[in-house]
Structure formats: structure tokens, C-alpha cells
Amino acid sequence: MLGLSALDLARFQFAFTIAFHILFPAITIGLASYLAVLEGCWLRTRNVVYRDLYQFWIKIFAVNFGMGVVSGIVMAYQFGTNWAGFSRFAGGVTGPLLTYEVLTAFFLEAGFLGVMLFGWNKVGPGLHFLSTIMVAVGTLISTTWILASNSWMHTPQGYQIIDGRVVPVHWLQVIFNPSFPYRLVHMSLAAFLATALFVAASAAWHLLRGHDNAAIRKMLSMAMSMILVVAPIQAVVGDAHGLNTLEHQPAKLAAIEGHWENRENEAVPLIVFGWPDMQREQTRYALEIPYLGSLILTHSWKKQFQGLKAFPPDERPNSTVVFWTFRAMVVLGLLMIALGAWSLFLRRRARLYHCRAFLRCTLVMGPAGLAAVLAGWLTTEIGRQPWVVYGLLRTTDAVTPHSAPEILLSVVLFIVSYFFVFGAGLAYILRLIRQGPQPRPDAGPPTGGPGQPHTPARPLSAAHEDEHRSATTSKIGR
């Protein structure tokens, strides 16, 4: 396959599968919290709009959650099949952390998910709301453990190496490693932003087609409020994360900035655009802003930071890639901030639901949150190379010694099966979104309980109850 080695194919397969997987948890995290807010607002106000939105988005949440679980199982198997060297070396740390994720988060989600999906009219409102909250909390706990494991691979501490294997000696240091707090907050906010943009784009699609009702307006209003508040906070968190990266992974930061060497007594400029050339050891066609690199990355006008030439050539990340993936993430973040500010401007002039230019931009920005998540992940993981565990285990030493044809076969099978299975899931989600929230004035509050009338919810049904009832009546009539 284009002369790729077994290592290249193993890396490509892992990147392909995790790129699919990371999209589903991002939406799951955001939607779970969104559903908890919707149900809380419904119980507090009894406004049927919140109930209708809950019933609509829980269908999409259920499909997305299922696809996230399926794609996540594949990730665990790959550690044993393609990355045996990594499992052997670092399994003493990553194995327990992922086990804690299953015991504390997955069991919590699984235990309450059934009540959340099918118990709207079967249990009391308090228990159902508790179930929704527990699922939302479970997604955040899951995020915590997974990022603790991944962050340790970037900034390892709390360990000893005995007989060529990592042995944890201080679990609190392992979990709360230097990059963990920044990456946890950054990823959680990214999930909320991705979900808010997804919800906003769904509302914009309906408003552009004249489907204007209270539920659609509430979707857009809530999503834009989230973007307006969270997007600027994400920029501040990203800046703090960058300072942490400068301290603990200076080679990654130099690659991100396309910065090769310092000039004596000169501030580091910010390279806005350019083409980092790994062979020539320079950034070609660079468009620079003087002093700004030092100001952003050191919070000083003239303080310098290390360039890529300060590191051995075999320890330099691929600057050509991470230079652009990072800028893609930043540009998308700035567009989110601009979209939130635009929404505030229109809201104050009572034009939020009527400005077609804004609605078109909101629709186009729908995938931007997920694109930013992917761009950020690529920046983080490629920027860690050539290490799997930073400074301890190289990627070349972590791979299982398979032949290239063996891995190529699995890569092809993964690509075909993923596009078939997850393509069908995505098509179903888009079908649900096209249908939109359906007002059901005849549906009462979630009473349930012993001796109470109840109707099982159908979170995976894309058909409207009235359409189903009409079709049944028509068949009986014939």
C-alpha cells in the first residue's frame, strides 16, 4: 500500500478507528448534559417545549451512544493486536485506569440508561430525572478516566520502571499528571461546543425551511447561549494548555509554531501561515507577526522558547502536519466565538430566528465542533511523536511485529465495515433530525409508578405516533 511499512499501517488503522470513535463520545457527553437540563426545565416549569425537545433528542442520543460503545470496543482490542509492545510496557498503568472507567462510569451509565430511554411513563418523574443525571455524570466520569490514561502517556509521572515495565508507585500522581487538568477541561468544553453547534445547525435547518415553532426556537436559543459563553472560555483554557505544553512538551510546541531557532536578543514572532519543511529545517513562505509568538506563549514581549533545532532530528514531531491541524482548530474556535457574538447581536434586535444569513452560517458551522475535536486530537497525538509514552517508549518499540500485508487486510476490513455500519447510523440520525421535534399536547407528565397508567417510550423510533396510528387505521379500514 504505497510502500507503507507495518508500523505506518498500524498507526493509520489506529488513527482511522479512533477518529471515528472520538466523534461519538463528544456528542454523547454534550447530549447527556443537554437532556438533563431539558428534563430539569420541564419538571420545574411544565413547559411542554422542554418535554418535546427531550423526547426528540433522546432518540438521537440513543443511536449515538450505541455507536460510541461499538467503536470503543474496537479500541481496546487494538492495544493487544497491534500494540503489544505498548501493552507490555505500560499496561500496569493504562490497564487499571481503563478498568476504573468501566467500573465507575460504564456500569453507572448502563445501570440508568434503560430507565432513561424507556422509563418516561413507567417510573416517577424524580427517578427518571435522577437516571438522566446519572447517565450525564457517567459520561463525564468516563471522560475523566480516559483522559487520565491518555494524559499520563503525554506527561508521565508517579511510576518506576522495573524489568523494562512501568510500575505505578503513586496513583494520585499517575492520575493527576501535569497535563491532565488542562486536557480534561479542554475536551469537556469541546464536547459541549460540538453538541451546541450540532443542535444549532439542526434548528437552523428547520427555520430555513419554514418549520418555525417554539421547540425549534428553543433549540437555537439554548445552543447559541452555550456557544456564546463556552467558546471564549475554551480560548482561555486553550491558552493555559499551551503554556503547560511549553513546559512539559517543548518539542511539540515548537512544531506547532513552526519555530526552528531563536535569534539572539530577538523576540519570537508568531508565524501565522507558512510551510514547515522538515528536510530544510525551516518554515518556508512564512507570514510573521513580530513579538506575538513570545507574547502568546511566554506572556512576555521578548522571552524566547526553544526551537525545533534544539532537539535531535529523530525526536522532532512532524511540524508540517501539526502546524496546520493546530491552525485549523484555532480558526474554527474563532469562528465559534464570532458566531456566538453574532447571535447576541441578533437576539438583542429580535432577529435571531429570522436572519437567513445567520441561519445559513449556523448550518454550515454544524460540523465545526467535531472538526475542531479531530484537529485538536491530531495536533496532540502527532505532536507527541516519536513517542507513545513521552520520553519513555518510542512508537517503533510499541508496535506488534506483524507483517504489512496482515495489517493491510485488517485496515481494509475496518474501512469497509465502518463506512457501512456507521454510515447507516449517521443516515438514521439525519433522518431523525429532518423529522424534527414533534409537539404532543396529549402527552402528560411522566407519572408512572405502581398502579399508574404508563406507555413504553420508543426512543429509537423515527416514526411519529400520529403517522403510525393513521397507517394502522388505514389498514384496518381496508
Side-chain angles (χ1 to χ4, degrees), residues 27 112 147 160:
I27 296 298
F112 286 97
L147 284 178
Q160 288 182 357

Side-chain angles (χ1 to χ4, degrees), residues 28-241:
T28 297
I29 294 166
L31 275 186
S33 297
Y34 182 47
L35 288 169
V37 171
L38 287 174
E39 187 167 7
C41 291
W42 153 241
L43 292 174
R44 183 174 60 86
T45 67
R46 295 299 177 178
N47 185 337
V48 295
V49 170
Y50 295 114
R51 179 205 63 200
D52 294 337
L53 286 176
Y54 184 96
Q55 297 293 352
F56 169 66
W57 283 107
I58 198 172
K59 301 174 186 177
I60 297 170
F61 172 82
V63 179
N64 190 83
F65 185 91
M67 291 193 293
V69 170
V70 172
S71 61
I73 292 174
V74 175
M75 307 305 304
Y77 280 112
Q78 281 190 103
F79 287 122
T81 57
N82 288 359
W83 301 100
F86 167 76
S87 299
R88 187 164 45 247
F89 177 79
V93 169
T94 59
L97 290 178
L98 295 180
T99 301
Y100 299 154
E101 188 260 338
V102 173
L103 292 176
T104 60
F106 188 76
F107 284 175
L108 181 67
E109 293 171 285
F112 286 97
L113 186 64
V115 178
M116 176 185 176
L117 295 178
F118 304 106
W120 182 264
N121 290 321
K122 285 190 171 184
V123 300
L127 177 56
H128 191 275
F129 183 42
L130 175 65
S131 300
T132 304
I133 292 176
M134 288 298 100
V135 171
V137 170
T139 62
L140 294 173
I141 294 176
S142 179
T143 305
T144 299
W145 287 116
I146 291 172
L147 284 178
S149 176
N150 185 261
S151 297
W152 181 86
M153 294 162 62
H154 286 265
T155 52
Q157 68 173 17
Y159 67 92
Q160 288 182 357
I161 298 179
I162 301 176
D163 296 329
R165 299 188 181 190
V166 171
V167 177
V169 295
H170 198 301
W171 274 109
L172 287 179
Q173 290 182 8
V174 169
I175 295 168
F176 297 100
N177 56 80
S179 65
F180 166 70
Y182 302 95
R183 300 182 75 237
L184 175 62
V185 176
H186 199 53
M187 181 61 203
S188 300
L189 294 180
F192 291 145
L193 281 172
T195 304
L197 287 163
F198 180 44
V199 173
S202 304
W205 187 88
H206 284 281
L207 288 171
L208 286 169
R209 281 153 184 78
H211 307 157
D212 190 350
N213 58 51
I216 297 296
R217 290 191 172 202
K218 183 63 69 174
M219 281 168 55
L220 184 63
S221 177
M222 294 179 73
M224 283 302 155
S225 297
M226 174 66 75
I227 295 168
L228 177 65
V229 173
V230 174
I233 296 175
Q234 181 72 310
V236 175
V237 173
D239 176 69
H241 190 191

